[in-house]
């Protein structure tokens, strides 16, 4: 079961939240998880193209809020 503490630690400045998120959601196949994976892939692509991590704040907040919905959904726990 995922906890709010895990969620909070994943989105701390020192964490690599993208790989951690994918670890949790890849075992589930639904619209929510596919959309999260798409956003994580978009973040990785932008970073690989040289985009500054500071410019990703909005995208990362969107990923974080969608992941919170995921971990709060009983069928995924």
């Amino acid at each position: 079961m995922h906890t709010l503490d895990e969620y909070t630690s994943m989105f701390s400045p020192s964490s690599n939240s993208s790989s951690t998120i994918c670890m949790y959601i890849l075992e589930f196949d639904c619209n929510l998880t596919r959309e999260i994976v798409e956003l994580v892939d978009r973040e990785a692509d932008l970073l690989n193209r040289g985009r500054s991590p500071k410019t990703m704040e909005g995208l990362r907040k969107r990923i974080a809020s969608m992941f919170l919905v995921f971990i709060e959904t009983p069928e995924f726990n």
Side-chain angles (χ1 to χ4, degrees):
M1 183 155 86
H2 311 296
T3 66
L4 191 56
D5 292 334
E6 287 176 318
Y7 167 81
T8 305
S9 68
M10 276 192 245
F11 294 99
S12 70
S14 62
S15 76
N16 182 358
S17 61
S18 299
S19 63
T20 307
I21 287 172
C22 287
M23 272 185 358
Y24 283 114
I25 67 172
L26 285 178
E27 64 186 89
F28 301 100
D29 185 31
C30 68
N31 289 336
L32 176 62
T33 58
R34 284 191 293 270
E35 189 170 349
I36 294 170
V37 169
E38 182 181 317
L39 292 175
V40 168
D41 288 346
R42 184 181 304 165
E43 176 190 18
D45 182 51
L46 290 170
L47 289 171
N48 286 334
R49 292 175 182 217
R51 193 76 176 259
S52 168
K54 286 189 172 196
T55 65
M56 302 287 191
E57 188 174 321
L59 179 59
R60 288 182 174 168
K61 283 182 181 179
R62 187 170 169 202
I63 293 168
S65 67
M66 292 181 75
F67 186 70
L68 182 60
V69 170
F70 172 79
I71 63 174
E72 289 180 335
T73 304
E75 65 191 57
F76 298 126
N77 284 308

